[in-house]
Amino acid sequence: MGWNIGWLFFGAAAFVLVIFNLIRVCTGKTKGWAALLLASMSCGAGSILSAYHQVANWALHGDMAAIQDVVPTMAKIYTIALLIGIVLNLLVLVAARRRKAE
């Protein structure tokens, strides 16, 4: 039973995209900010879905030890990551609105 590391790729991509988007918007480059925001949020959703697939794979193989060991910590980490992602994406939204109003 192999490990699924898609959650790592998608999670990292989500944060890289939102940081890149925030930097672009704050420097005045507002073209395409909405597409980057959507891409960031989509990668975040892909990360959660990938982690869910990993847990489903463990369940199918009867690996309850892995589920009991990993899922409680995974839930806490994903909650924190989700909150950070939402705040960063809201900052992009607010910054883009301010730039548009100027």
Side-chain angles (χ1 to χ4, degrees), residues 4-96:
N4 175 1
I5 60 167
W7 62 270
L8 182 63
F9 168 76
F10 284 118
F15 281 108
V16 167
L17 286 169
V18 74
I19 296 297
F20 178 67
N21 200 10
L22 188 57
I23 291 169
R24 285 188 73 236
V25 169
C26 288
T27 59
K29 299 176 185 174
T30 57
K31 185 177 180 182
W33 71 268
L36 282 171
L37 185 124
L38 177 63
S40 171
M41 294 177 73
S42 297
C43 284
S47 178
I48 293 171
L49 183 62
S50 182
Y52 178 77
H53 277 281
Q54 181 64 47
V55 173
N57 190 29
W58 289 333
L60 287 174
H61 287 87
D63 194 354
M64 293 308 291
I67 293 171
Q68 290 173 333
D69 187 40
V70 174
V71 172
T73 303
M74 189 169 69
K76 290 175 189 171
I77 291 171
Y78 269 106
T79 301
I80 293 167
L82 177 67
L83 292 173
I84 293 169
I86 288 171
V87 168
L88 289 174
N89 278 301
L90 283 174
L91 287 174
V92 169
L93 183 63
V94 168

